[in-house]
Amino acid sequence: MIPAKRQKYNQQFTEEKYKNFLEKLQDGYCEIPFRVAETPIFIPKALKAKLIAAGEEIISLIKQPDFKELTKNSIPKNWNVPNENEQPHFLTFDFGICKNEAGELTPMLIEMQGFPSLYGFQSHLANSFRQVFEIDNSVNHFLNDFDEKQYIQLLKDVILGNHQPSEVALMDVDAPNQKTAIDFFVTQKMLGIKILALEDIKKIGNQLFYEENGKQIQLKRIYNRLIFDEVADNTEIFKNSFDPREELDVEWVTHPNWFYRISKYTMPFLNSEFVPETRFLNQIESIPADLENYVLKPLFSFAGMGVIIDVTKNDIINIKDPENWILQRKVTYEPVVEALDGGVKAEIRMMYLWPDNGEPQLCINLARLSRGKMIGVRYNADFDWVGGTVGFMED
C-alpha cells in the first residue's frame, strides 16, 4: 500500500530470509504453531488516519455513561464474574481493508474485543521483521509516538497495577501449551510475571496461591487469558483449582465480563461509515431478500467458529436462539497487499491499553493476511503469504 516500500521488500525477499526470520522469531521461546506471514503490511498515512478515527468512534461509545446498561444482556448468566471494574484494560478492534465508493482504501469493522491480544509478541514480531528484512524507521509499528521503552512501561503499568511481578500471573487453562504460548513467554520476559496454568492455582479461603520453591505465594492480580467459551463444556477443570465466578480476593486484568461487553454484541449499537450494518437477529422484522450480501455470526464464539458465510433463509429460520446471533452486511476485502504472485486481503487490529484511572491509549497493531473466504487459519491452510503479521505505518 506504500508502493516504494512494497516494491523494495518484494525485490529483496527470499525464502532463505523468511526461514531465518522464523528461526529468529522462535529462538529462545518456543515453536510457533500458527502461520506467520512472509511480509508485514505497509500502511499509508491516509489509511492510518482512518483507522485511528474509526477506533475513536468506537471508544466514544464505550465511554458513554450508559454503556454498562446497554450491554448488560451480553454476559451469559452462568458466566457472570463478580467484582467487575469500571473499564476494560485492553481494547482490540479488527478492521478489514476495503475500498469505499470513491475508490479509496478504508477500514471496516469486523470484530472487537475487550480482551488482551498478542501485546507482547507483536513488538517482538515487528523487531524481527525490521532486523531480517532491513525495514527503515520511516514506518512504525507503534502509534501515538510510542517507542519500545514507553510501550513496555505502559504494559507494565496496566498488567502489574500496584503489585510486584511475583504477585501477578498470566493465566490460561494449559498456558504453556496454548497456540499463543510464544506471546506468553515474550510477555514474561518483558514483565517478569509468572505463567500459570489454571491447575497451578489453589484457593485458600477466598484468596489464590501458587507454589514456588515449596512456598505458597499469594496471587493478587491475574492477567487473564482464559476464554470461558473454551471451557464452557468442561467446568470440571475448576474443581482442581478455583472457579472464577466465586467471590475472590484478586484483581483481574482485564475482568472477564469485558470479554462479553465489548464484542460482536456491541456492533449493532455503532453507526459509522467504518462499521457495516449489523443487527441482532431477534430484532429483524423481515429477512433481507439479498442474503448473499450478509453473514450470520453467533455472539458467543471465538476464532470464527460458527460463522455462516453463505446465509440461506433456512439458516435463519432454524436458529433457536436468535437473541444470541447477529446478521451483518458482508464486507468486501480489497486485495491490497501485493505478494509475489498477486493480491492478498488484509485485516488490521488496532490495539489499545487502558491503565487504571487513565485513558485508553492506542499503542500497537496486529495484522492478518488472507487469500481464503475468511481471515481465519482454516480458510488459508493451503496458501502462502498469509497468516499473522504486523502493520508498519507511515509517520
Side-chain angles (χ1 to χ4, degrees):
M1 287 183 274
I2 303 176
K5 296 287 184 194
R6 173 51 56 203
Q7 186 177 11
K8 179 184 176 184
Y9 188 93
N10 287 12
Q11 284 175 347
Q12 54 104 38
F13 177 86
T14 65
E15 287 296 332
E16 186 174 353
K17 270 192 176 182
Y18 177 56
K19 182 183 175 187
N20 292 340
F21 159 72
L22 291 177
E23 288 174 354
K24 181 177 182 60
L25 199 58
Q26 298 170 111
D27 186 34
Y29 293 110
C30 63
E31 188 174 335
I32 301 174
F34 56 86
R35 196 174 198 287
V36 178
E38 284 83 343
T39 180
I41 302 175
F42 299 106
I43 298 169
K45 281 182 185 177
L47 181 57
K48 174 184 172 182
K50 289 179 181 178
L51 284 161
I52 292 169
E56 287 175 350
E57 287 187 11
I58 301 167
I59 287 172
S60 293
L61 172 72
I62 294 167
K63 292 178 77 175
Q64 284 181 192
D66 65 343
F67 184 74
K68 280 197 172 184
E69 178 65 23
L70 204 63
T71 57
K72 66 181 181 182
N73 293 328
S74 66
I75 306 166
K77 288 183 174 58
N78 59 327
W79 289 110
N80 198 332
V81 173
N83 303 316
E84 183 182 329
N85 65 334
E86 289 307 305
Q87 67 189 56
H89 295 95
F90 307 94
L91 294 171
T92 65
F93 307 144
D94 292 351
F95 296 96
I97 305 306
C98 311
K99 273 190 177 175
N100 61 19
E101 291 179 359
E104 302 165 334
L105 293 181
T106 195
M108 290 296 285
L109 184 67
I110 304 299
E111 188 96 54
M112 55 197 293
Q113 286 186 326
F115 190 80
S117 185
L118 307 180
Y119 281 87
F121 177 68
Q122 286 306 113
S123 179
H124 173 56
L125 175 63
N127 289 337
S128 301
F129 266 124
R130 274 196 193 282
Q131 292 166 21
V132 175
F133 291 99
E134 300 166 15
I135 295 167
D136 64 43
N137 291 327
S138 65
V139 287
N140 202 342
H141 58 289
F142 290 118
L143 294 110
N144 277 342
D145 298 322
F146 274 92
D147 61 24
E148 188 159 14
K149 184 179 178 182
Q150 293 167 330
Y151 174 68
I152 292 174
Q153 185 58 55
L154 181 59
L155 198 61
K156 278 185 179 177
D157 293 344
V158 168
I159 293 176
L160 296 182
N162 297 318
H163 302 290
Q164 296 300 311
S166 61
E167 299 171 324
V168 182
L170 184 156
M171 182 201 74
D172 206 335
V173 177
D174 183 15
N177 296 309
Q178 289 289 340
K179 282 189 175 180
T180 54
I182 190 165
D183 176 66
F184 300 174
F185 295 129
V186 173
T187 302
Q188 181 181 48
K189 186 176 180 181
M190 281 181 172
L191 309 185
I193 62 176
K194 301 294 293 183
I195 298 172
L196 298 178
L198 188 65
E199 63 184 14
D200 295 328
I201 303 170
K202 304 302 176 190
K203 185 165 79 84
I204 303 174
N206 68 341
Q207 295 180 329
L208 301 180
F209 295 84
Y210 68 92
E211 187 174 310
E212 187 169 66
N213 299 324
K215 292 183 178 179
Q216 294 289 328
I217 299 172
Q218 187 181 352
L219 185 59
K220 296 183 179 178
R221 192 168 169 97
I222 294 175
Y223 178 29
N224 181 44
R225 301 298 290 266
L226 169 62
I227 296 175
F228 288 167
D229 287 18
E230 291 182 310
V231 299
D233 297 326
N234 185 28
T235 54
E236 291 292 309
I237 60 170
F238 296 144
K239 288 187 175 178
N240 295 322
S241 180
F242 72 99
D243 192 324
R245 297 166 292 185
E246 297 176 349
E247 285 281 350
L248 300 166
D249 180 17
V250 71
E251 296 172 6
W252 293 94
V253 51
T254 195
H255 192 281
N257 290 358
W258 288 105
F259 174 79
Y260 297 104
R261 289 190 184 278
I262 298 171
S263 63
K264 291 186 284 285
Y265 188 92
T266 323
M267 292 184 68
F269 301 109
L270 290 162
N271 183 15
S272 166
E273 66 174 294
F274 305 119
V275 180
E277 174 200 335
T278 307
R279 291 178 286 170
F280 292 111
L281 194 59
N282 66 331
Q283 294 179 6
I284 291 173
E285 294 178 1
S286 61
I287 296 174
D290 59 336
L291 277 178
E292 69 276 7
N293 294 319
Y294 288 85
V295 60
L296 195 56
K297 296 181 178 180
L299 289 176
F300 307 116
S301 72
F302 60 99
M305 297 294 288
V307 173
I308 302 173
I309 303 171
D310 301 312
V311 188
T312 67
K313 189 174 180 180
N314 280 340
D315 288 328
I316 293 175
I317 292 169
N318 290 333
I319 286 175
K320 294 178 173 57
D321 56 341
E323 70 280 4
N324 291 326
W325 291 74
I326 54 170
L327 188 66
Q328 185 178 84
R329 185 165 283 277
K330 275 183 182 173
V331 168
T332 303
Y333 289 71
E334 188 70 16
V336 291
V337 176
E338 185 185 338
L340 300 181
D341 61 347
V344 180
K345 295 176 283 189
E347 197 168 279
I348 308 290
R349 174 174 293 176
M350 302 293 269
M351 297 164 61
Y352 301 73
L353 291 170
W354 196 340
D356 292 325
N357 304 312
E359 292 292 321
Q361 297 186 52
L362 175 59
C363 304
I364 199 167
N365 77 90
L366 178 154
R368 292 184 290 182
L369 297 177
S370 172
R371 297 180 192 249
K373 272 190 172 185
M374 285 178 66
I375 291 287
V377 173
R378 67 183 182 278
Y379 296 96
N380 289 277
D382 301 323
F383 300 118
D384 60 6
W385 285 64
V386 298
T389 184
V390 66
F392 284 110
M393 305 199 183
E394 195 171 27
D395 282 334

